[in-house]
Amino acid sequence: MFRSLFCPVFFLFFSLSVAAQEVNSILQRKAETHFENREWREAAAMFNVLINESPSVLELYAYAVASNDLGGDKRGVMAAVELSEKSGIPLDSLFDKTRQLCTAIGNNGIYERMLLCIKGEQPWFKRIVNKYLLRFYMERKENAKALAIADEALLSFPDNIRLLNAKASILADSGDLSGAADCMALVLRLDSTVMEARLFLGNYYFIKGSELYEKGISASTTSAADSVPTATVTDRVDYLGEARSMFLLAEEYLGSDSMDINTPYVLNTVGIIRERIKELSGLPSAALQSSPPAK
């Protein structure tokens, strides 16, 4: 199965730019055969020779990295990376080509291990490696690993809006909406024009306000008016008061003059928010304790 799938993938990938290059054809065919047969150490030995003979051919490095990794030779992986650097091949190009190959053969662990190896062996490249690791983990929804990378990067660049946005996205995907809101609030303090942050915070406080509003309504209707326990009345007042505070925050973010995203959803949400604020603002404390506000 592996062999039947691998052959067309290998030759398509390899022929895109190597055809016009001068590569040792006999050695290349032997390397291809070993790689196809999953004879990783033999393939690695061949590709190691090929990258030294043809150091400008990017695709060779991807196969050298993959075969060395699968053969258990971490030093061989780094030797291929270091040679690519000496040969003037940008790390971005090496990363992208290796990711393509790993995706084609269904083994993205090779790509992850290469990045972690470079980060450990060449810490001066930590910033660029972390960028690729963060993207990789976020795409795969590996939130714990992604959050660790984001936090590490933010230690050096605490005001980086791209990193703060990424962290907010990771936290939201993990279910920590409060933490995500804190990140987005910091983004807005750094740049008040980031509409993504305004949308997130406006929706976050709208949802929180709506939950509290429903709790307040529920607390006011669960018991008969002449037998409502004091605790229920207190909860009702607290819920509706907190709901109003949340709606005011939501209106601040979504209804601001600087908010230039006027989609039907945003306009409708702002309308609901303003109705709730007006409704809750117009009710005196005594009224809140005697009758529920109308929905």
Side-chain angles (χ1 to χ4, degrees):
M1 178 68 176
F2 177 88
R3 184 166 183 168
S4 63
L5 289 174
F6 175 78
C7 287
V9 170
F10 182 91
F11 288 109
L12 173 62
F13 184 91
F14 198 83
S15 63
L16 293 178
S17 61
V18 176
Q21 303 286 344
E22 290 187 4
V23 179
N24 186 321
S25 59
I26 295 175
L27 191 60
Q28 177 187 331
R29 285 196 297 272
K30 289 182 178 180
E32 292 168 0
T33 300
H34 286 306
F35 199 95
E36 179 185 342
N37 292 333
R38 307 179 74 176
E39 297 164 351
W40 308 125
R41 292 185 181 181
E42 292 81 357
M46 301 290 182
F47 279 113
N48 290 344
V49 173
L50 284 167
I51 59 176
N52 279 279
E53 288 187 352
S54 305
S56 62
V57 181
L58 174 59
E59 284 78 1
L60 291 173
Y61 289 98
Y63 282 95
V65 167
S67 55
N68 277 288
D69 175 89
L70 292 169
D73 187 355
K74 179 180 177 181
R75 184 60 251 168
V77 172
M78 280 308 303
V81 171
E82 290 164 1
L83 181 59
S84 74
E85 294 166 357
K86 292 176 183 177
S87 302
I89 294 177
L91 276 178
D92 288 329
S93 298
L94 175 65
F95 293 167
D96 290 339
K97 191 61 65 176
T98 303
R99 178 75 185 274
Q100 290 173 25
L101 173 61
C102 293
T103 300
I105 66 175
N107 191 335
N108 281 303
I110 299 167
Y111 176 73
E112 179 186 10
R113 288 189 292 272
M114 178 193 69
L115 293 176
L116 292 173
C117 188
I118 295 171
K119 183 176 175 180
E121 297 288 332
Q122 299 180 332
W124 50 91
F125 286 130
K126 182 171 71 174
R127 182 178 181 182
I128 186 174
V129 172
N130 275 345
K131 180 181 77 173
Y132 278 86
L133 280 170
L134 182 60
R135 183 189 306 167
F136 177 73
Y137 291 139
M138 288 182 70
E139 288 174 357
R140 293 168 61 86
K141 301 294 183 181
E142 295 188 52
N143 292 325
K145 290 182 178 180
L147 185 59
I149 294 295
D151 282 337
E152 179 185 339
L154 283 166
L155 289 176
S156 299
F157 307 97
D159 295 338
N160 187 294
I161 289 176
R162 180 186 64 82
L163 289 172
L164 288 167
N165 269 322
K167 182 174 180 179
S169 177
I170 296 163
L171 290 170
D173 194 59
S174 302
D176 185 0
L177 296 179
S178 176
D182 290 341
C183 285
M184 285 303 195
L186 180 53
V187 167
L188 276 187
R189 287 199 291 273
L190 295 169
D191 184 351
S192 62
T193 67
V194 180
M195 291 299 105
E196 180 183 0
R198 286 192 171 277
L199 281 169
F200 182 92
L201 289 167
N203 278 293
Y204 172 75
Y205 287 113
F206 170 64
I207 292 170
K208 294 282 287 185
S210 297
E211 291 173 348
L212 290 163
Y213 179 83
E214 292 301 324
K215 286 182 178 180
I217 296 299
S218 177
S220 67
T221 58
T222 53
S223 303
D226 58 351
S227 62
V228 176
T230 303
T232 302
V233 172
T234 302
D235 289 345
R236 175 178 155 199
V237 173
D238 289 344
Y239 285 142
L240 294 177
E242 290 176 22
R244 181 176 179 274
S245 297
M246 295 296 104
F247 287 135
L248 285 169
L249 285 169
E251 200 276 337
E252 178 184 341
Y253 290 117
L254 293 180
S256 170
D257 292 338
S258 62
M259 186 67 181
D260 58 1
I261 302 178
N262 294 318
T263 64
Y265 169 78
V266 171
L267 293 173
N268 181 62
T269 301
V270 171
I272 295 172
I273 290 169
R274 288 173 176 167
E275 286 179 7
R276 291 285 183 259
I277 292 173
K278 182 178 179 181
E279 176 185 323
L280 296 175
S281 299
L283 292 171
S285 299
L288 282 173
Q289 297 183 29
S290 60
S291 61
K295 288 189 179 181

